[in-house]
Amino acid sequence: MTPKRKQKLWLLGLMLGGVSLAVGLTLYALSSNINLFFAPTQIVAGEAPQDREIRAGGMVVEGSVQRDTESLQVRFAVTDNNEEIWITFDKILPDLFREGQGVVAVGRLNDRQELVATEVLARHDENYMPPEVAEALEAAGQMPDQAPYAKNKSSDKSY
Amino acid sequence: MDILYLPELGQFALILALVMACVQALLPLAGSMTRQPLWLAYAQPAAWAQFALLTVSLVFLGVSFLVDDFSVAYVANNSNSALPWFYKLSAVWGAHEGSLLLWLWILAGWTFAVSFSRGLPAEVLARVLAVLGFVSIGMLLFVILTSNPFDRYLPQIPSDGADLNPLLQDPGLIFHPPLLYMGYVGFAVTFAFALAALWSGKLDTAWARWSRPWTSVAWAFLTCGIALGSWWAYYELGWGGWWFWDPVENASLLPWLLGTALMHSLAVTEKRGLFKSWTVLLAIATFSTSLMGFFLVRSGVLNSVHAFANDPDRGLFLLLLLGVTIGVSLLVYALRVPTLKARASYSLISKDVFLLANNVILVVATLTVLLGTVYPLLMDALNQGKISVGPPYFNALFVPLMLLLGVFMGLGPVSDWKSMRLDKLRKKIWLSGAISLLLGFILLPWVYDGSWSIWVALGLTLFFWVVTTSLRDIWEASRGKKGWRGISRSRWGMFGGHVGAALIVLGVTMVANYGEERDVRMAIGEPVKVKDYEFTLTQLGEREGPNFSADTATIEMRDREGRLYKTLTPEKRNYHVRGMPMTQVSIDWGPLKDIYVAMGEPVAEDAYAMRIHYKPFVRWIWWGAFIAGLAAILAVTDRRYKVRVPE
């Protein structure tokens, strides 16, 4: 083998090694860091795993928000208009969190099938509904006509 | 002329701009096929006309905003008569249609600038302008057919507008999108140079020299745009983070990573005539990721904080545009590249190879970010459920890759082109290595905090490694005949760019490891302790702004000895028109730390939920990015780009 060939082989080997290492690490990191979304109906039916982080969401049930007066602990229910689940959270809720709005929470289920959230997301546009939530509502056959999402869609087409 | 016709005139200008773009694209193409030099000459005036027409269009949209013409749907949806005039103007790019118009105008502006570049043979210029013309045609069609900013609400004109999203009512919005778009669209110029070179079959070092300044300027804008966006998110969203691995942030990071790789590989191509086909591919990929970022953001397929009610129907057009761009350019690439041959050789220890390593690492980083960003889309398309990829994935991969990149960032400047003896390299880096290990890896983590952690040690080592090797390189350059004055601006540019990157590393390391974030319940008169400081809520109040009303809080911050250090006054605003709440944070900022206080929600009569953050060195991240951006501009002013290239 000529020295030049040898050198190219080295380079090629290094690159291949690096790339396969990167791919391996990537797939590993990916598989341990994805959060599946579950609608309240699925969670009540016991389809969601207990031992890993999931995302859950729906519309915040009117009048369900219960606040602890001595700490930041807050409890609320979300619904896909079919089933409800409870979510507890001990941090500050996002600005756009409101009863009747779509939210998505990230966390783990406890023994009582309540989601202990580490993060609650409500989006930065009052007309915007998280797509998962919209789909969950549709799947439950309960997409209300007066939902903000529907309203926005129709106003978009009005001109 | 009745001012009410401005929107129609604006739209006519838009359509005429499309006609001009067609001239700019098609005549040079036809001219170079049929060998009619006269036809090539049409490209330049057409580009000027296109720029003028788009300017008219953009100005008329701006005027429609200023005069509160709510018959224009876009104005009615994104403005309000109570909005201050400067936000009315920046609302032009506050939503989909207008930001597209801005994109187009910037593209036309870049094209205009390219048309004045001296030292470029007429034929090359015509080809570059033609490629830019094609890009412009695609986007203009998109705007005119799917997203016309001049659509009217007739005959029922709304009496007032729906207001600009309060999040966007901020000085950050005035600058963030234009800077970012300058970067995205700037890569179109590099792309055009690459395609023009493939088209002519002359992919030489002259081509690399022409492309380099444009790439650097685009990169500088993108860097500053992303940094400004990060800073804006930090103080405007009230979450206190500076990067969220949000899909839209990732979409801007992809062209940035590839653009960084491109800058470095262009250097190799210009100096050594190597990696030509790779550089061309990078140029194509960089602009493609710019377009793809645009598609991801604007089509609404991504679930993101930036997802302001989008219309998915538009996505198809953009996907088509993206597909055509990538498909055509790869086709040209495949047809032309086999004719390219590099003659130069290089050995394993050389600047060439270190820069190649830089490129490989950056491309791998791009791919991992891309995978994490589109993986949820893929899984959804394959009916594998709705998933999201969390920040841990990105951190787990991105941080090690950047650490690795940092090693080469130090080796690159001090090494020689072509080949280098190992002992010579060793002689140049041993001192830097020793300083970095001693200060960064062992001493400073202890001094700062009294404890040692691997991530702090690695981050600080990297910081010192990059800074000391850069200093070494500059010091060596200063020993030439002319001393310090003999150092070229492009070398200073490299120095600034690398030091800027090192500052970012420093900032990220410190804030990620020593930052403290607390959500607390604060009652009046009850002190709360966060990182050696005592915070006491002394007052809750209310106040009226021009288009909002706000809850206000006064918080006294005392140091360890109980002295009053600073009074912080965060607000919780409610914007009337949209009924949308907004957090106005109060920041005590400084070079060594930020104290960040944001109001959450009232929890009792005299108590409020508050977010108190301690963020050491967080500003260095943005300053580092701005320094790197300015350094790239400095490098462009180097004398050798001004020398006329013989034809």
Side-chain angles (χ1 to χ4, degrees):
Chain A
M1 213 168 358
T2 63
K4 199 169 169 191
R5 277 230 173 134
K6 209 168 168 184
Q7 178 190 331
K8 280 209 166 151
L9 206 66
W10 257 103
L11 265 182
L12 209 69
L14 276 179
M15 277 165 92
L16 269 180
V19 168
S20 44
L21 189 74
V23 169
L25 280 175
T26 307
L27 292 179
Y28 174 72
L30 200 55
S31 64
S32 53
N33 283 305
I34 54 173
N35 306 323
L36 262 167
F37 178 85
F38 292 92
T41 309
Q42 291 171 297
I43 293 175
V44 170
E47 288 173 32
Q50 295 268 349
D51 53 343
R52 64 176 296 166
E53 202 166 65
I54 61 163
R55 286 180 310 138
M59 313 293 281
V60 181
V61 176
E62 302 271 356
S64 72
V65 181
Q66 304 164 0
R67 237 177 245 291
D68 184 41
T69 49
E70 291 309 307
S71 70
L72 292 183
Q73 198 71 35
V74 61
R75 224 171 147 259
F76 56 91
V78 296
T79 177
D80 52 7
N81 294 341
N82 191 15
E83 297 284 357
E84 284 181 18
I85 58 154
W86 283 90
I87 296 178
T88 63
F89 189 54
D90 64 352
K91 298 200 193 87
I92 293 175
L93 289 166
D95 284 347
L96 283 172
F97 179 90
R98 243 174 286 166
E99 293 180 355
Q101 283 266 344
V103 297
V104 172
V106 185
R108 283 165 198 268
L109 289 174
N110 66 12
D111 308 334
R112 286 169 295 162
Q113 294 289 75
E114 285 183 357
L115 189 81
V116 182
T118 52
E119 199 179 357
V120 173
L121 306 164
R123 295 308 186 185
H124 290 280
D125 184 315
E126 71 273 31
N127 290 326
Y128 179 77
M129 162 129 49
E132 298 98 326
V133 175
E135 215 162 276
L137 292 184
E138 258 164 38
Q142 301 283 347
M143 185 76 179
D145 279 346
Q146 74 277 25
Y149 184 66
K151 196 170 68 196
N152 172 56
K153 284 298 277 184
S154 57
S155 77
D156 228 24
K157 297 265 152 60
S158 68
Y159 50 91
Chain B
M1 185 176 66
D2 193 339
I3 199 148
L4 282 175
Y5 292 120
L6 286 183
E8 274 68 36
L9 293 176
Q11 187 170 3
F12 289 146
L14 209 56
I15 294 168
L16 280 175
L18 177 62
V19 175
M20 287 303 148
C22 291
V23 173
Q24 183 192 325
L26 296 174
L27 274 180
L29 181 68
S32 90
M33 278 175 172
T34 56
R35 303 197 176 280
Q36 305 255 20
L38 186 64
W39 290 10
L40 294 179
Y42 276 101
Q44 203 175 27
W48 295 346
Q50 198 201 344
F51 181 52
L53 286 163
L54 282 171
T55 307
V56 167
S57 195
L58 191 69
V59 166
F60 283 6
L61 185 62
V63 172
S64 298
F65 267 98
L66 283 182
V67 301
D68 293 327
D69 187 351
F70 296 123
S71 69
V72 179
Y74 183 69
V75 178
N77 289 335
N78 295 291
S79 183
N80 183 271
S81 49
L83 201 63
W85 69 269
F86 41 92
Y87 291 141
K88 280 182 185 168
L89 267 189
S90 66
V92 168
W93 50 85
H96 176 78
E97 288 88 347
S99 64
L100 272 170
L101 189 58
L102 180 72
W103 198 101
L104 271 171
W105 182 72
I106 289 174
L107 178 64
W110 277 108
T111 312
F112 186 67
V114 171
S115 76
F116 283 106
S117 54
R118 279 170 297 167
L120 214 56
E123 198 178 347
V124 175
L125 178 65
R127 284 181 166 149
V128 170
L129 292 181
V131 176
L132 286 168
F134 277 111
V135 175
S136 191
I137 291 175
M139 270 301 178
L140 271 164
L141 280 176
F142 180 56
V143 173
I144 294 171
L145 296 180
T146 74
S147 330
N148 188 353
F150 297 106
D151 270 340
R152 295 262 208 179
Y153 275 139
L154 288 175
Q156 277 121 359
I157 300 172
S159 58
D160 209 336
D163 207 2
L164 180 65
N165 189 324
L167 266 181
L168 307 182
Q169 295 185 27
D170 182 90
L173 175 75
I174 302 178
F175 303 107
H176 168 53
L179 277 178
L180 205 58
Y181 283 11
M182 286 292 282
Y184 280 152
V185 183
F187 287 125
V189 178
T190 324
F191 169 79
F193 270 102
L195 275 198
L198 280 178
W199 180 358
S200 67
K202 262 197 278 176
L203 212 59
D204 45 18
T205 54
W207 157 73
R209 191 176 310 119
W210 296 328
S211 298
R212 275 186 86 179
W214 299 102
T215 312
S216 299
V217 174
W219 183 88
F221 277 115
L222 188 60
T223 307
C224 293
I226 294 174
L228 195 65
S230 158
W231 179 55
W232 180 30
Y234 169 77
Y235 75 78
E236 187 73 12
L237 294 182
W239 298 344
W242 56 275
W243 193 265
F244 302 98
W245 292 113
D246 175 272
V248 171
E249 293 173 341
N250 295 348
S252 73
L253 192 61
L254 296 175
W256 187 86
L257 289 168
L258 286 183
T260 312
L262 178 62
M263 280 205 306
H264 291 89
S265 103
L266 271 171
V268 186
T269 306
E270 192 207 332
K271 295 268 185 189
R272 302 266 297 127
L274 286 167
F275 308 158
K276 283 180 200 162
S277 44
W278 169 247
T279 307
V280 172
L281 196 59
L282 264 184
I284 293 172
T286 307
F287 181 58
S288 300
T289 47
S290 285
L291 272 186
M292 192 182 67
F294 201 71
F295 160 71
L296 290 176
V297 177
R298 285 296 158 204
S299 62
V301 293
L302 283 179
N303 192 359
S304 145
V305 289
H306 288 69
F308 303 102
N310 292 310
D311 183 356
D313 307 336
R314 287 166 180 155
L316 194 65
F317 193 108
L318 277 176
L319 196 60
L320 204 70
L321 196 65
L322 183 64
V324 169
T325 311
I326 297 178
V328 169
S329 36
L330 285 186
L331 186 71
V332 177
Y333 179 78
L335 290 177
R336 292 292 190 159
V337 146
T339 60
L340 290 176
K341 276 247 162 64
R343 259 151 293 160
S345 67
Y346 49 92
S347 77
L348 207 49
I349 301 171
S350 64
K351 196 174 277 204
D352 315 32
V353 168
F354 293 148
L355 284 170
L356 183 65
N358 148 307
N359 271 230
V360 172
I361 296 168
L362 282 168
V363 168
V364 170
T366 309
L367 291 177
T368 55
V369 174
L370 180 66
L371 184 67
T373 309
V374 299
Y375 197 66
L377 296 179
L378 288 178
M379 287 295 113
D380 195 23
L382 298 172
N383 272 324
Q384 298 287 310
K386 295 248 170 214
I387 61 155
S388 78
V389 177
Y393 160 79
F394 294 102
N395 291 335
L397 289 169
F398 205 69
V399 173
L401 278 171
M402 289 303 113
L403 287 171
L404 194 60
L405 184 65
V407 175
F408 291 101
M409 205 193 286
L411 288 174
V414 293
S415 56
D416 296 340
W417 291 107
K418 194 170 178 184
S419 85
M420 190 180 196
R421 288 173 59 93
L422 187 59
D423 51 344
K424 191 179 170 200
L425 181 65
R426 212 182 285 144
K427 220 168 101 190
K428 281 192 174 187
I429 59 171
W430 74 267
L431 188 62
S432 300
I435 293 177
S436 314
L437 283 177
L438 196 69
L439 278 182
F441 202 75
I442 300 166
L443 268 181
L444 281 186
W446 278 104
V447 173
Y448 185 80
D449 191 52
S451 66
W452 189 88
S453 97
I454 181 73
W455 292 113
V456 180
L458 285 175
L460 290 182
T461 310
L462 194 62
F463 167 74
F464 282 108
W465 169 245
V466 173
V467 170
T468 50
T469 47
S470 295
L471 283 172
R472 165 107 203 184
D473 175 55
I474 278 289
W475 175 69
E476 273 182 12
S478 76
R479 291 195 303 177
K481 257 181 258 157
K482 287 196 218 146
W484 289 96
R485 293 175 60 197
I487 302 175
S488 68
R489 288 191 183 178
S490 54
R491 192 170 223 114
W492 279 117
M494 175 173 78
F495 177 74
H498 285 184
V499 169
L503 291 178
I504 297 176
V505 170
L506 177 68
V508 172
T509 306
M510 298 304 277
V511 79
N513 290 287
Y514 295 122
E516 217 172 285
E517 309 182 348
R518 293 268 303 277
D519 282 6
V520 290
R521 177 186 188 277
M522 286 186 99
I524 290 181
E526 284 176 25
V528 173
K529 230 178 150 188
V530 178
K531 194 94 181 180
D532 296 345
Y533 294 98
E534 209 175 71
F535 298 84
T536 318
L537 179 66
T538 57
Q539 208 183 335
L540 283 170
E542 276 166 25
R543 137 183 130 83
E544 286 297 318
N547 51 355
F548 60 87
S549 48
D551 283 357
T552 62
T554 312
I555 293 168
E556 286 181 354
M557 173 181 163
R558 290 171 191 280
D559 62 14
R560 220 175 300 180
E561 281 83 41
R563 277 181 304 231
L564 184 65
Y565 179 81
K566 182 94 189 179
T567 306
L568 295 155
T569 52
E571 284 182 5
K572 189 81 175 183
R573 293 181 178 172
N574 192 19
Y575 282 80
H576 300 311
V577 180
R578 291 200 175 204
M580 188 168 153
M582 275 281 309
T583 307
Q584 196 72 19
V585 302
S586 177
I587 302 174
D588 168 46
W589 67 273
L592 296 185
K593 61 155 197 333
D594 271 26
I595 300 288
Y596 181 108
V597 178
M599 289 172 90
E601 59 238 339
V603 284
E605 189 63 30
D606 60 346
Y608 226 91
M610 297 274 185
R611 192 169 270 157
I612 301 180
H613 290 190
Y614 168 80
K615 302 237 162 236
F617 288 78
V618 67
R619 269 163 213 269
W620 295 53
I621 298 170
W622 306 306
W623 283 118
F626 283 121
I627 289 172
L630 289 178
I633 302 276
L634 181 71
V636 170
T637 62
D638 195 293
R639 202 184 305 127
R640 78 196 143 102
Y641 296 120
K642 296 198 181 105
V643 177
R644 202 180 151 82
V645 183
E647 288 170 25

